[in-house]
């Protein structure tokens, strides 16, 4: 578990809230980063949004617009709270 201070998740976050962090590996680069519980919760939320958007026809399907907004908020939160992990895992 990371020794970093936990940053609270935003009020709009409605994903699974984990109690422990873990190490996540970027499937494309193979690089890994240790995340706090909050960061891991947001990371999984972002990846989940991405999968559902893809399953529902992608970013050009108007039905995914709200999910795309939620994902963008998650990416923004992650970028602000842990820019190094963002660059390794999500950029």
């Amino acid at each position: 578990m990371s020794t970093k201070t936990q940053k609270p998740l935003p009020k709009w976050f409605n994903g699974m809230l984990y109690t422990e962090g873990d190490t996540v590996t970027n499937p494309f680069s193979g690089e890994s980063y240790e995340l706090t519980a909050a960061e891991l919760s947001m990371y999984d939320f972002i990846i989940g949004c991405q999968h559902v958007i893809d399953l529902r026809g992608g970013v050009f399907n108007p039905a995914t617009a709200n999910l795309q907004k939620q994902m963008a908020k998650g990416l923004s939160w992650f970028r602000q709270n842990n820019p190094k992990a963002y660059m390794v895992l999500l950029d």
Side-chain angles (χ1 to χ4, degrees):
M1 172 112 176
S2 178
T3 58
K4 293 186 305 179
T5 303
Q6 282 277 353
K7 305 239 180 7
L9 288 164
K11 290 183 181 189
W12 58 261
F13 179 81
N14 64 354
M16 175 76 73
L17 181 55
Y18 301 129
T19 57
E20 293 185 21
D22 203 354
T23 301
V24 175
T25 301
N26 181 317
F28 303 105
S29 70
E31 289 184 84
S32 296
Y33 210 93
E34 189 174 343
L35 301 179
T36 66
E39 292 165 352
L40 183 60
S41 298
M42 186 62 77
Y43 174 82
D44 280 356
F45 176 79
I46 292 165
I47 297 302
C49 286
Q50 187 176 36
H51 285 300
V52 174
I53 290 167
D54 289 345
L55 288 173
R56 293 185 180 168
V59 296
F60 296 111
N61 182 352
T64 65
N66 189 44
L67 203 51
Q68 290 179 58
K69 288 178 189 173
Q70 294 295 308
M71 184 175 148
K73 286 175 160 183
L75 288 166
S76 178
W77 181 93
F78 208 102
R79 189 172 32 252
Q80 291 172 0
N81 286 282
N82 193 339
K84 289 181 182 177
Y86 174 85
M87 292 301 288
V88 169
L89 301 172
L90 296 165
D91 190 37

